């Protein structure tokens, strides 16, 4: 069963390469995938949101979610699972960007994107939360398009990211409650 799932993972990537990749779209998917590099876009967005008192809770939630997601994804799961990147294994798969330096499962770009977006969807007005979720989804899909992750890596990153987004939101509520208690006791 596991072998069949792994085989299907590779076949999906080859299908994307053979039937969805288009030369005229390559620049877009490369640009989108690089938006997720190191979570920098989401980190900067979280920092920007800290400046306004109105959006500060959203910034705190996003940054905490990113921290939780990075700990789970990059510190624990990637090193524990140690899955080799698909371009190293799937015969005929062409890599569209530079080789990645870490393991494949789960997708860190996807985890960070969904962590921040899920925290922001709970703390920002609906239209901005929706924009963040759409961007997270497009970044996740870009990882398949450029050939650096298996579909199961992206799904794993989404699961971790959704959990981290919820955890960041809950942690933000705890932090804000403590800050409010301190402010009232002064």
């Amino acid at each position: 069963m596991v072998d069949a799932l792994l085989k299907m993972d590779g076949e999906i990537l080859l299908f994307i390469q053979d039937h969805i990749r288009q030369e005229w779209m390559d620049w877009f998917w490369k640009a989108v995938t690089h938006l997720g590099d190191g979570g920098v876009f989401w980190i900067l967005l979280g920092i920007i949101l800290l400046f306004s008192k109105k959006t500060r809770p959203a910034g705190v939630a996003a940054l905490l979610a990113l921290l939780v997601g990075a700990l789970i994804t990059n510190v624990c799961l990637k090193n524990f699972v140690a899955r080799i990147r698909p371009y190293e294994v799937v015969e005929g798969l062409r890599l569209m960007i530079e080789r990645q330096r870490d393991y494949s499962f789960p997708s860190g770009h996807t985890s960070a994107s969904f962590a921040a977006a899920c925290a922001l969807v709970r703390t920002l007005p609906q239209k901005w939360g929706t924009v963040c979720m759409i961007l997270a989804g497009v970044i996740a899909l870009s990882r398949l398009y450029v050939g650096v992750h298996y579909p199961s890596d992206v799904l794993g990153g989404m699961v971790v990211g959704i959990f981290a987004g919820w955890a960041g939101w809950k942690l933000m509520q705890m932090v804000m409650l403590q800050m409010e208690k301190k402010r009232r006791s002064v």
Side-chain angles (χ1 to χ4, degrees):
M1 172 108 169
V2 172
D3 289 338
L5 290 173
L6 294 175
K7 185 176 185 222
M8 187 171 64
D9 248 1
E11 288 173 355
I12 291 170
L13 289 176
L14 290 173
F15 178 85
I16 290 169
Q17 175 178 280
D18 296 341
H19 300 287
I20 297 176
R21 277 188 190 173
Q22 300 292 320
E23 195 174 312
W24 63 271
M25 291 192 310
D26 291 353
W27 70 270
F28 170 79
W29 290 104
K30 288 178 185 180
V32 167
T33 214
H34 287 305
L35 268 181
D37 288 354
V40 173
F41 172 82
W42 299 106
I43 293 168
L44 291 174
L45 179 58
I47 291 169
I48 289 167
L49 292 170
L50 292 176
F51 288 112
S52 168
K53 189 173 186 169
K54 183 177 173 184
T55 59
R56 191 166 296 137
V60 170
L63 293 171
L64 288 170
L66 287 163
L67 179 62
V68 170
L71 290 172
I72 294 170
T73 299
N74 296 79
V75 175
C76 296
L77 289 177
K78 279 189 182 270
N79 295 313
F80 178 74
V81 175
R83 187 177 196 189
I84 304 300
R85 295 279 178 169
Y87 53 81
E88 301 282 348
V89 178
V90 178
E91 192 172 321
L93 182 64
R94 292 183 308 276
L95 177 64
M96 292 185 65
I97 61 170
E98 65 282 346
R99 292 180 173 277
Q100 307 295 287
R101 293 184 303 250
D102 59 355
Y103 291 114
S104 194
F105 182 88
S107 167
H109 282 64
T110 303
S111 174
S113 296
F114 275 90
C118 286
L120 293 171
V121 82
R122 292 177 172 273
T123 54
L124 290 176
Q126 183 179 356
K127 69 178 177 180
W128 295 113
T130 301
V131 168
C132 290
M133 290 299 289
I134 291 169
L135 180 57
V138 174
I139 289 172
L141 291 173
S142 77
R143 304 307 282 169
L144 302 174
Y145 188 92
V146 299
V148 294
H149 279 294
Y150 293 100
S152 57
D153 298 341
V154 169
L155 287 174
M158 283 176 61
V159 170
V160 171
I162 290 166
F163 169 77
W166 172 83
W169 172 66
K170 291 307 262 182
L171 288 168
M172 175 275 299
Q173 289 180 320
M174 292 168 50
V175 166
M176 297 308 233
L177 183 63
Q178 290 302 316
M179 288 173 64
E180 182 63 25
K181 284 181 181 177
K182 274 189 175 181
R183 190 179 64 79
R184 286 184 183 173
S185 67
V186 172

